[in-house]
Amino acid sequence: MKKFVISCPNCKKKMRILNKPAKYKCPSCGNIHKVGRIKLIFIAIKSFFVGIVDTIRDIKNNIVYKYNSAKATYRYMSQLKKNMKSDPNWSNYRTQQQEEKKMRDANKRSFKDFFKRKKK
């Protein structure tokens, strides 16, 4: 059965109640509170709208987080690019990487070589 969390009218601490009209005892102060059907309907409607507001807040926070992450990445990449231009060792970095890859690939056997017979 679904449970709701409400605040005790006497001590203002939170307590859980079931989704049925009954008398509930507060675990903190011990006072007994009667919850009727109308109050349960009001609590259900209130929790529905609180859920919608929480969802919208989570979506907004995710968008802000992704925006800030993208902005930080852009700053990092622009700083890196600026440092690469001023450093003479970085100018040939990509060409060196491509040459190393060509050398590694030259030593690999091709797919056709796998099916060729070995000469004795």
Side-chain angles (χ1 to χ4, degrees), residues 5-6 14 20 22 25 29 32 45-47 62 68 72-74 76 80 88 92 95 98 102 107 115:
V5 177
I6 63 168
K14 294 184 179 182
K20 65 178 185 176
K25 183 177 180 181
C29 64
I32 297 174
I45 292 171
K46 182 180 173 187
S47 66
N62 285 337
N68 288 336
T73 303
Y74 174 75
Y76 172 75
L80 186 66
N92 295 327
T95 55
Q98 289 173 354
K102 285 179 186 177
N107 296 331
F115 294 104

PDB file of all heavy atoms in Angstrom, residues 5-6 14 20 22 25 29 32 45-47 62 68 72-74 76 80 88 92 95 98 102 107 115:
ATOM      1  N   VAL A   5       4.256  10.881   3.427  1.00  0.00           N
ATOM      2  CA  VAL A   5       4.985  11.493   4.533  1.00  0.00           C
ATOM      3  C   VAL A   5       4.344  12.846   4.797  1.00  0.00           C
ATOM      4  O   VAL A   5       4.267  13.694   3.907  1.00  0.00           O
ATOM      5  CB  VAL A   5       6.481  11.657   4.193  1.00  0.00           C
ATOM      6  CG1 VAL A   5       7.217  12.365   5.316  1.00  0.00           C
ATOM      7  CG2 VAL A   5       7.109  10.309   3.913  1.00  0.00           C
ATOM      8  N   ILE A   6       3.867  13.024   6.026  1.00  0.00           N
ATOM      9  CA  ILE A   6       3.266  14.296   6.416  1.00  0.00           C
ATOM     10  C   ILE A   6       3.984  14.794   7.665  1.00  0.00           C
ATOM     11  O   ILE A   6       4.711  14.047   8.322  1.00  0.00           O
ATOM     12  CB  ILE A   6       1.742  14.161   6.680  1.00  0.00           C
ATOM     13  CG1 ILE A   6       1.471  13.224   7.856  1.00  0.00           C
ATOM     14  CG2 ILE A   6       1.007  13.708   5.445  1.00  0.00           C
ATOM     15  CD1 ILE A   6       0.032  13.279   8.349  1.00  0.00           C
ATOM     16  N   LYS A  14       8.275  14.787  10.847  1.00  0.00           N
ATOM     17  CA  LYS A  14       7.678  13.998   9.777  1.00  0.00           C
ATOM     18  C   LYS A  14       7.231  12.637  10.285  1.00  0.00           C
ATOM     19  O   LYS A  14       7.890  12.028  11.131  1.00  0.00           O
ATOM     20  CB  LYS A  14       8.663  13.835   8.633  1.00  0.00           C
ATOM     21  CG  LYS A  14       8.970  15.141   7.942  1.00  0.00           C
ATOM     22  CD  LYS A  14       9.866  14.954   6.772  1.00  0.00           C
ATOM     23  CE  LYS A  14      10.102  16.313   6.106  1.00  0.00           C
ATOM     24  NZ  LYS A  14      10.924  16.213   4.932  1.00  0.00           N
ATOM     25  N   LYS A  20      -4.944   5.289   3.601  1.00  0.00           N
ATOM     26  CA  LYS A  20      -6.307   4.928   4.029  1.00  0.00           C
ATOM     27  C   LYS A  20      -6.683   5.796   5.223  1.00  0.00           C
ATOM     28  O   LYS A  20      -5.821   6.177   6.014  1.00  0.00           O
ATOM     29  CB  LYS A  20      -6.413   3.449   4.364  1.00  0.00           C
ATOM     30  CG  LYS A  20      -5.616   2.990   5.542  1.00  0.00           C
ATOM     31  CD  LYS A  20      -5.850   1.505   5.779  1.00  0.00           C
ATOM     32  CE  LYS A  20      -5.126   1.075   7.051  1.00  0.00           C
ATOM     33  NZ  LYS A  20      -5.385  -0.306   7.372  1.00  0.00           N
ATOM     34  N   ALA A  22      -7.614   6.749   8.755  1.00  0.00           N
ATOM     35  CA  ALA A  22      -7.449   6.088  10.056  1.00  0.00           C
ATOM     36  C   ALA A  22      -6.892   7.093  11.041  1.00  0.00           C
ATOM     37  O   ALA A  22      -6.656   8.253  10.720  1.00  0.00           O
ATOM     38  CB  ALA A  22      -6.514   4.890   9.922  1.00  0.00           C
ATOM     39  N   LYS A  25      -0.657   7.624  15.149  1.00  0.00           N
ATOM     40  CA  LYS A  25       0.062   8.117  16.315  1.00  0.00           C
ATOM     41  C   LYS A  25       1.426   8.630  15.869  1.00  0.00           C
ATOM     42  O   LYS A  25       2.168   7.938  15.178  1.00  0.00           O
ATOM     43  CB  LYS A  25       0.233   6.994  17.337  1.00  0.00           C
ATOM     44  CG  LYS A  25       0.898   7.423  18.608  1.00  0.00           C
ATOM     45  CD  LYS A  25       0.974   6.264  19.595  1.00  0.00           C
ATOM     46  CE  LYS A  25       1.648   6.692  20.870  1.00  0.00           C
ATOM     47  NZ  LYS A  25       1.760   5.597  21.829  1.00  0.00           N
ATOM     48  N   CYS A  29       6.006  12.711  19.300  1.00  0.00           N
ATOM     49  CA  CYS A  29       5.319  13.284  20.461  1.00  0.00           C
ATOM     50  C   CYS A  29       4.242  12.364  21.033  1.00  0.00           C
ATOM     51  O   CYS A  29       3.808  12.556  22.165  1.00  0.00           O
ATOM     52  CB  CYS A  29       4.715  14.637  20.102  1.00  0.00           C
ATOM     53  SG  CYS A  29       3.424  14.586  18.843  1.00  0.00           S
ATOM     54  N   ILE A  32      -2.237  11.508  18.868  1.00  0.00           N
ATOM     55  CA  ILE A  32      -3.005  10.763  17.871  1.00  0.00           C
ATOM     56  C   ILE A  32      -3.714  11.761  16.967  1.00  0.00           C
ATOM     57  O   ILE A  32      -4.366  12.694  17.429  1.00  0.00           O
ATOM     58  CB  ILE A  32      -4.009   9.817  18.554  1.00  0.00           C
ATOM     59  CG1 ILE A  32      -3.243   8.792  19.379  1.00  0.00           C
ATOM     60  CG2 ILE A  32      -4.893   9.143  17.519  1.00  0.00           C
ATOM     61  CD1 ILE A  32      -4.111   7.887  20.205  1.00  0.00           C
ATOM     62  N   ILE A  45      -2.845  14.978  -3.973  1.00  0.00           N
ATOM     63  CA  ILE A  45      -2.716  16.047  -4.973  1.00  0.00           C
ATOM     64  C   ILE A  45      -1.462  16.874  -4.704  1.00  0.00           C
ATOM     65  O   ILE A  45      -0.699  17.195  -5.620  1.00  0.00           O
ATOM     66  CB  ILE A  45      -3.983  16.932  -4.986  1.00  0.00           C
ATOM     67  CG1 ILE A  45      -5.170  16.128  -5.522  1.00  0.00           C
ATOM     68  CG2 ILE A  45      -3.768  18.198  -5.812  1.00  0.00           C
ATOM     69  CD1 ILE A  45      -6.495  16.823  -5.390  1.00  0.00           C
ATOM     70  N   LYS A  46      -1.223  17.188  -3.435  1.00  0.00           N
ATOM     71  CA  LYS A  46      -0.045  17.968  -3.065  1.00  0.00           C
ATOM     72  C   LYS A  46       1.233  17.209  -3.420  1.00  0.00           C
ATOM     73  O   LYS A  46       2.171  17.787  -3.991  1.00  0.00           O
ATOM     74  CB  LYS A  46      -0.074  18.271  -1.571  1.00  0.00           C
ATOM     75  CG  LYS A  46       1.082  19.104  -1.112  1.00  0.00           C
ATOM     76  CD  LYS A  46       0.990  19.360   0.378  1.00  0.00           C
ATOM     77  CE  LYS A  46       2.249  20.060   0.873  1.00  0.00           C
ATOM     78  NZ  LYS A  46       2.255  20.176   2.330  1.00  0.00           N
ATOM     79  N   SER A  47       1.303  15.915  -3.129  1.00  0.00           N
ATOM     80  CA  SER A  47       2.508  15.137  -3.440  1.00  0.00           C
ATOM     81  C   SER A  47       2.717  15.026  -4.948  1.00  0.00           C
ATOM     82  O   SER A  47       3.855  14.990  -5.420  1.00  0.00           O
ATOM     83  CB  SER A  47       2.450  13.752  -2.800  1.00  0.00           C
ATOM     84  OG  SER A  47       1.415  12.991  -3.368  1.00  0.00           O
ATOM     85  N   ASN A  62      20.331  19.592 -14.226  1.00  0.00           N
ATOM     86  CA  ASN A  62      21.092  18.810 -15.200  1.00  0.00           C
ATOM     87  C   ASN A  62      21.530  19.665 -16.388  1.00  0.00           C
ATOM     88  O   ASN A  62      22.654  19.537 -16.878  1.00  0.00           O
ATOM     89  CB  ASN A  62      20.291  17.606 -15.685  1.00  0.00           C
ATOM     90  CG  ASN A  62      20.233  16.510 -14.658  1.00  0.00           C
ATOM     91  OD1 ASN A  62      21.083  16.425 -13.780  1.00  0.00           O
ATOM     92  ND2 ASN A  62      19.231  15.657 -14.763  1.00  0.00           N
ATOM     93  N   ASN A  68      27.766  24.013 -17.810  1.00  0.00           N
ATOM     94  CA  ASN A  68      29.023  24.362 -17.131  1.00  0.00           C
ATOM     95  C   ASN A  68      30.145  23.399 -17.519  1.00  0.00           C
ATOM     96  O   ASN A  68      31.299  23.811 -17.673  1.00  0.00           O
ATOM     97  CB  ASN A  68      28.831  24.375 -15.615  1.00  0.00           C
ATOM     98  CG  ASN A  68      28.016  25.558 -15.166  1.00  0.00           C
ATOM     99  OD1 ASN A  68      27.958  26.580 -15.841  1.00  0.00           O
ATOM    100  ND2 ASN A  68      27.358  25.432 -14.025  1.00  0.00           N
ATOM    101  N   ALA A  72      33.571  24.551 -19.371  1.00  0.00           N
ATOM    102  CA  ALA A  72      34.891  24.241 -18.816  1.00  0.00           C
ATOM    103  C   ALA A  72      35.740  23.473 -19.832  1.00  0.00           C
ATOM    104  O   ALA A  72      36.946  23.724 -19.965  1.00  0.00           O
ATOM    105  CB  ALA A  72      34.746  23.436 -17.532  1.00  0.00           C
ATOM    106  N   THR A  73      35.119  22.556 -20.572  1.00  0.00           N
ATOM    107  CA  THR A  73      35.844  21.806 -21.595  1.00  0.00           C
ATOM    108  C   THR A  73      36.318  22.744 -22.699  1.00  0.00           C
ATOM    109  O   THR A  73      37.457  22.624 -23.175  1.00  0.00           O
ATOM    110  CB  THR A  73      34.953  20.698 -22.178  1.00  0.00           C
ATOM    111  OG1 THR A  73      34.512  19.858 -21.123  1.00  0.00           O
ATOM    112  CG2 THR A  73      35.681  19.875 -23.218  1.00  0.00           C
ATOM    113  N   TYR A  74      35.480  23.670 -23.109  1.00  0.00           N
ATOM    114  CA  TYR A  74      35.862  24.637 -24.141  1.00  0.00           C
ATOM    115  C   TYR A  74      37.046  25.474 -23.674  1.00  0.00           C
ATOM    116  O   TYR A  74      37.996  25.701 -24.433  1.00  0.00           O
ATOM    117  CB  TYR A  74      34.675  25.536 -24.495  1.00  0.00           C
ATOM    118  CG  TYR A  74      35.047  26.643 -25.452  1.00  0.00           C
ATOM    119  CD1 TYR A  74      35.252  26.379 -26.790  1.00  0.00           C
ATOM    120  CD2 TYR A  74      35.226  27.944 -25.000  1.00  0.00           C
ATOM    121  CE1 TYR A  74      35.613  27.372 -27.675  1.00  0.00           C
ATOM    122  CE2 TYR A  74      35.589  28.954 -25.861  1.00  0.00           C
ATOM    123  CZ  TYR A  74      35.781  28.665 -27.202  1.00  0.00           C
ATOM    124  OH  TYR A  74      36.143  29.659 -28.067  1.00  0.00           O
ATOM    125  N   TYR A  76      39.277  24.668 -21.424  1.00  0.00           N
ATOM    126  CA  TYR A  76      40.457  23.797 -21.362  1.00  0.00           C
ATOM    127  C   TYR A  76      41.041  23.577 -22.752  1.00  0.00           C
ATOM    128  O   TYR A  76      42.247  23.671 -22.947  1.00  0.00           O
ATOM    129  CB  TYR A  76      40.089  22.462 -20.721  1.00  0.00           C
ATOM    130  CG  TYR A  76      41.191  21.441 -20.794  1.00  0.00           C
ATOM    131  CD1 TYR A  76      42.303  21.532 -19.967  1.00  0.00           C
ATOM    132  CD2 TYR A  76      41.125  20.393 -21.706  1.00  0.00           C
ATOM    133  CE1 TYR A  76      43.318  20.608 -20.042  1.00  0.00           C
ATOM    134  CE2 TYR A  76      42.137  19.460 -21.787  1.00  0.00           C
ATOM    135  CZ  TYR A  76      43.232  19.569 -20.953  1.00  0.00           C
ATOM    136  OH  TYR A  76      44.237  18.654 -21.023  1.00  0.00           O
ATOM    137  N   LEU A  80      44.652  24.710 -24.147  1.00  0.00           N
ATOM    138  CA  LEU A  80      45.558  23.701 -24.682  1.00  0.00           C
ATOM    139  C   LEU A  80      46.024  24.075 -26.082  1.00  0.00           C
ATOM    140  O   LEU A  80      47.212  23.973 -26.407  1.00  0.00           O
ATOM    141  CB  LEU A  80      44.866  22.339 -24.698  1.00  0.00           C
ATOM    142  CG  LEU A  80      45.690  21.137 -25.090  1.00  0.00           C
ATOM    143  CD1 LEU A  80      46.764  20.883 -24.047  1.00  0.00           C
ATOM    144  CD2 LEU A  80      44.804  19.918 -25.219  1.00  0.00           C
ATOM    145  N   PRO A  88      57.188  24.961 -29.591  1.00  0.00           N
ATOM    146  CA  PRO A  88      57.671  24.464 -30.888  1.00  0.00           C
ATOM    147  C   PRO A  88      57.653  22.944 -30.990  1.00  0.00           C
ATOM    148  O   PRO A  88      57.575  22.403 -32.088  1.00  0.00           O
ATOM    149  CB  PRO A  88      59.093  25.005 -30.964  1.00  0.00           C
ATOM    150  CG  PRO A  88      59.485  25.290 -29.571  1.00  0.00           C
ATOM    151  CD  PRO A  88      58.231  25.630 -28.828  1.00  0.00           C
ATOM    152  N   ASN A  92      55.010  19.502 -34.617  1.00  0.00           N
ATOM    153  CA  ASN A  92      55.141  18.277 -35.405  1.00  0.00           C
ATOM    154  C   ASN A  92      54.507  17.063 -34.719  1.00  0.00           C
ATOM    155  O   ASN A  92      54.706  15.937 -35.151  1.00  0.00           O
ATOM    156  CB  ASN A  92      56.628  17.986 -35.660  1.00  0.00           C
ATOM    157  CG  ASN A  92      57.248  19.052 -36.516  1.00  0.00           C
ATOM    158  OD1 ASN A  92      56.576  19.608 -37.373  1.00  0.00           O
ATOM    159  ND2 ASN A  92      58.512  19.348 -36.279  1.00  0.00           N
ATOM    160  N   THR A  95      52.051  14.909 -37.024  1.00  0.00           N
ATOM    161  CA  THR A  95      52.755  14.210 -38.103  1.00  0.00           C
ATOM    162  C   THR A  95      53.585  13.060 -37.544  1.00  0.00           C
ATOM    163  O   THR A  95      53.643  11.987 -38.152  1.00  0.00           O
ATOM    164  CB  THR A  95      53.661  15.177 -38.892  1.00  0.00           C
ATOM    165  OG1 THR A  95      54.542  15.837 -37.991  1.00  0.00           O
ATOM    166  CG2 THR A  95      52.832  16.205 -39.650  1.00  0.00           C
ATOM    167  N   GLN A  98      51.187  10.196 -36.855  1.00  0.00           N
ATOM    168  CA  GLN A  98      50.771   9.515 -38.080  1.00  0.00           C
ATOM    169  C   GLN A  98      51.881   8.623 -38.620  1.00  0.00           C
ATOM    170  O   GLN A  98      51.623   7.500 -39.083  1.00  0.00           O
ATOM    171  CB  GLN A  98      50.349  10.533 -39.133  1.00  0.00           C
ATOM    172  CG  GLN A  98      49.041  11.221 -38.812  1.00  0.00           C
ATOM    173  CD  GLN A  98      48.714  12.346 -39.768  1.00  0.00           C
ATOM    174  OE1 GLN A  98      49.530  12.698 -40.629  1.00  0.00           O
ATOM    175  NE2 GLN A  98      47.526  12.930 -39.614  1.00  0.00           N
ATOM    176  N   LYS A 102      51.776   4.546 -39.188  1.00  0.00           N
ATOM    177  CA  LYS A 102      52.111   3.894 -40.462  1.00  0.00           C
ATOM    178  C   LYS A 102      53.154   2.810 -40.259  1.00  0.00           C
ATOM    179  O   LYS A 102      53.085   1.738 -40.858  1.00  0.00           O
ATOM    180  CB  LYS A 102      52.616   4.932 -41.471  1.00  0.00           C
ATOM    181  CG  LYS A 102      51.535   5.799 -42.052  1.00  0.00           C
ATOM    182  CD  LYS A 102      52.128   6.816 -43.015  1.00  0.00           C
ATOM    183  CE  LYS A 102      51.079   7.785 -43.504  1.00  0.00           C
ATOM    184  NZ  LYS A 102      51.648   8.811 -44.376  1.00  0.00           N
ATOM    185  N   ASN A 107      54.023  -3.362 -40.278  1.00  0.00           N
ATOM    186  CA  ASN A 107      54.480  -4.644 -39.745  1.00  0.00           C
ATOM    187  C   ASN A 107      53.360  -5.660 -39.551  1.00  0.00           C
ATOM    188  O   ASN A 107      53.625  -6.834 -39.319  1.00  0.00           O
ATOM    189  CB  ASN A 107      55.209  -4.441 -38.414  1.00  0.00           C
ATOM    190  CG  ASN A 107      56.474  -3.635 -38.595  1.00  0.00           C
ATOM    191  OD1 ASN A 107      57.085  -3.671 -39.654  1.00  0.00           O
ATOM    192  ND2 ASN A 107      56.865  -2.911 -37.564  1.00  0.00           N
ATOM    193  N   PHE A 115      45.547 -16.038 -45.712  1.00  0.00           N
ATOM    194  CA  PHE A 115      45.137 -17.188 -46.531  1.00  0.00           C
ATOM    195  C   PHE A 115      46.214 -17.666 -47.497  1.00  0.00           C
ATOM    196  O   PHE A 115      46.050 -18.694 -48.144  1.00  0.00           O
ATOM    197  CB  PHE A 115      43.861 -16.839 -47.314  1.00  0.00           C
ATOM    198  CG  PHE A 115      42.678 -16.631 -46.407  1.00  0.00           C
ATOM    199  CD1 PHE A 115      42.204 -15.350 -46.130  1.00  0.00           C
ATOM    200  CD2 PHE A 115      42.059 -17.711 -45.813  1.00  0.00           C
ATOM    201  CE1 PHE A 115      41.123 -15.174 -45.293  1.00  0.00           C
ATOM    202  CE2 PHE A 115      40.976 -17.530 -44.980  1.00  0.00           C
ATOM    203  CZ  PHE A 115      40.513 -16.256 -44.711  1.00  0.00           C
TER     204      PHE A 115
END
